[in-house]
Amino acid sequence: MNLPMNSLFSQVETMGHEQIVYCHDPKSGLRAIIGIHDTTLGPALGGTRLWAYDNEEDALRDVLRLSRGMTYKAACAGLSLGGGKAVIIARPEQKTEAMFRAFGRFVNSLGGRYITAEDVNTCVTDMNNVRMETRFVTGVSPALGGSGDPSPVTALGVFAGLKAAVEYRLGKKDLRGLKVAVQGVGNVGRYLCGYLAEQGVKLYVSDISVDRLKEVERAHGATVVGQDEIYGLDVDVFAPCALGGILNSKTLPLLKAPIVAGGANNQLEDEKVHGQILKERRIVYCPDYVINAGGLINVYNELLGYDREKALSEAKSIGNSISAILHDAEKEGITTQEASGRFAERRIKSISELKQMNTLENSGIGRMHR
Ligand code: NAD
């Protein structure tokens, strides 16, 4: 059957989603959409974004795009997780306990196919409220078995990926004496500065917060530069740790660094166009969702019984993933973003091809007997 291009089934068919759940609780005012993209590798995990979308179509588009992204992120990180995401259509000031408890009941009704977490405009308190209704939630407070601030783990993963990129592009195992420009010294950026400074890296930093800049200047002897100046510095690595969309037609001509390795999400304004420009300029780009997967590794560990040392040690393996992806991209003559996509798809395909071993329990005969 040919479906109209704008139908929901047509969209999920193109993007490969398994299930979309619309959640409505009139009493609490909850209007949410849960997107389960692919559960081949494990239950779909991804945060809940609360946003005042202009219309339902925008909310759906966002949840489809974000949940698909989580499948690739988990696959590249080597986790036994699939990709999912949820959006709640509301303004931050409309948040209530009842809204999140109602949402928790919907999450619970999926029996663990979807596991939620924090995202834009949702916080630990919201996840604690979800936890009252379901165990399929991460990012709760440490008192409820949560993993706390993910930023040091994310930053360590970025650090490991950056090191792998330096070894690949500059042939150096030791970072001593190298220059790194860090854009944004918030949670991830300032921890990254700490790891780099320990290795004798010369740091250049920009931020819109004067206080944060002063802190890294004092702690690590970083040189503060202007918000626009950061792009054109003659450094070895540019590490975006603030906003998305910062690799674009305006900034790319300014870049002198041979490597881009940072924690920010969605760094390429246009994946195809700007990924290709980076490739042509021989600038090694570490795909953002691969290098910043430490936060996901952290909440995955929460599901297993949280141990911070284990989470930190696993985040270091991001260096191996980055290294494999950079070599694959070179071998196949494709962008690193394309190489990470193929890397994820190969892993999902290999697991989906595993032979189903029938037992009485999971066979049709077993179901007839129940
Ligand atoms: P944050 O808000 O703590 O830090 C962002 C910093 O960027 C702030 O200090 C802010 O003042 C600064 N900033 C804003 N605009 C800027 C500009 N124009 N120039 C320079 N600096 C600017 O956020 P975070 O948790 O450190 O996350 C940073 C990025 O990493 C985000 O894109 C986030 O989505 C991504 N990320 C974070 C985690 C995590 O564990 N925190 C995990 C995965 C991805």
Side-chain angles (χ1 to χ4, degrees):
M1 184 177 69
N2 281 334
L3 294 161
M5 282 302 286
N6 60 354
S7 88
L8 177 54
F9 276 113
S10 154
Q11 285 185 68
V12 296
E13 205 170 291
T14 313
M15 294 180 78
H17 289 76
E18 291 177 11
Q19 191 176 7
I20 308 297
V21 185
Y22 281 73
C23 315
H24 182 220
D25 180 67
K27 286 216 173 107
S28 64
L30 174 77
R31 287 189 302 147
I33 312 175
I34 299 172
I36 297 179
H37 178 252
D38 189 297
T39 57
T40 307
L41 299 177
L45 192 147
T48 297
R49 180 165 294 192
L50 184 139
W51 197 256
Y53 293 98
D54 285 339
N55 51 56
E56 267 172 57
E57 289 72 34
D58 285 356
L60 176 65
R61 202 172 303 118
D62 217 20
V63 81
L64 292 179
R65 177 180 69 85
L66 294 167
S67 54
R68 184 173 184 273
M70 290 307 295
T71 296
Y72 283 78
K73 186 168 193 159
C76 285
L79 302 175
S80 300
L81 289 176
K85 203 88 181 184
V87 295
I88 295 180
I89 307 170
R91 291 190 304 276
E93 61 274 19
Q94 291 174 312
K95 286 203 292 189
T96 59
E97 177 192 351
M99 182 184 275
F100 281 91
R101 290 188 67 154
F103 179 67
R105 289 179 191 192
F106 282 106
V107 171
N108 201 50
S109 73
L110 295 168
R113 272 176 58 67
Y114 169 66
I115 301 167
T116 197
E118 290 165 54
D119 198 72
V120 178
N121 288 330
T122 57
C123 61
V124 173
T125 309
D126 302 326
M127 293 308 121
N128 287 349
N129 287 329
V130 172
R131 181 70 183 87
M132 292 302 119
E133 305 294 337
T134 183
R135 60 194 171 89
F136 305 124
V137 53
T138 59
V140 295
S141 61
L144 293 175
S147 52
D149 179 11
S151 310
V153 186
T154 303
L156 189 62
V158 174
F159 174 67
L162 184 153
K163 274 180 72 174
V166 164
E167 188 174 349
Y168 168 83
R169 179 69 170 79
L170 307 177
K172 291 185 178 167
K173 275 189 192 279
D174 189 358
L175 298 183
R176 193 157 300 279
L178 293 190
K179 295 178 191 159
V180 177
V182 181
Q183 180 186 47
V185 285
N187 291 321
V188 175
R190 75 191 156 91
Y191 282 109
L192 177 64
C193 285
Y195 296 130
L196 291 169
E198 265 176 31
Q199 301 288 311
V201 167
K202 172 86 190 101
L203 294 166
Y204 297 83
V205 292
S206 74
D207 201 294
I208 51 171
S209 157
V210 175
D211 289 345
R212 287 184 173 172
L213 287 171
K214 276 194 184 141
E215 196 189 312
V216 286
E217 196 179 18
R218 197 174 45 236
H220 309 303
T223 303
V224 172
V225 301
Q227 279 171 52
D228 294 333
E229 206 187 332
I230 193 97
Y231 296 104
L233 296 178
D234 194 2
V235 292
D236 300 288
V237 182
F238 173 54
C241 295
L243 313 166
I246 48 89
L247 298 172
N248 54 45
S249 314
K250 260 200 205 149
T251 58
L252 287 183
L254 305 174
L255 277 194
K256 293 203 184 88
I259 297 167
V260 177
N265 273 319
N266 308 318
Q267 293 169 27
L268 297 166
E269 189 180 86
D270 182 313
E271 278 188 17
K272 283 213 173 96
V273 175
H274 301 121
Q276 187 60 30
I277 294 175
L278 285 163
K279 176 175 176 282
E280 281 161 13
R281 289 200 47 205
R282 288 201 66 238
I283 297 175
V284 167
Y285 169 66
C286 298
D288 44 17
Y289 68 87
V290 181
I291 199 167
N292 73 15
L296 182 62
I297 291 174
N298 198 50
V299 289
Y300 178 69
N301 272 279
E302 194 173 319
L303 294 173
L304 305 174
Y306 192 64
D307 175 347
R308 174 137 301 212
E309 287 313 309
K310 182 167 164 285
L312 285 166
S313 140
E314 287 175 11
K316 290 188 196 153
S317 70
I318 287 174
N320 300 334
S321 311
I322 289 288
S323 182
I325 286 162
L326 299 184
H327 282 99
D328 282 358
E330 182 181 337
K331 202 165 69 198
E332 295 176 38
I334 55 178
T335 67
T336 54
Q337 191 82 357
E338 285 167 322
S340 59
R342 291 190 193 177
F343 184 87
E345 283 158 12
R346 269 199 304 275
R347 180 163 173 240
I348 293 168
K349 187 161 181 281
S350 72
I351 302 302
S352 72
E353 282 168 354
L354 287 181
K355 188 174 177 296
Q356 163 86 42
M357 300 204 194
N358 272 329
T359 62
L360 181 63
E361 240 339 273
N362 71 16
S363 69
I365 313 166
R367 282 190 286 276
M368 276 192 302
H369 279 269
R370 249 180 252 146

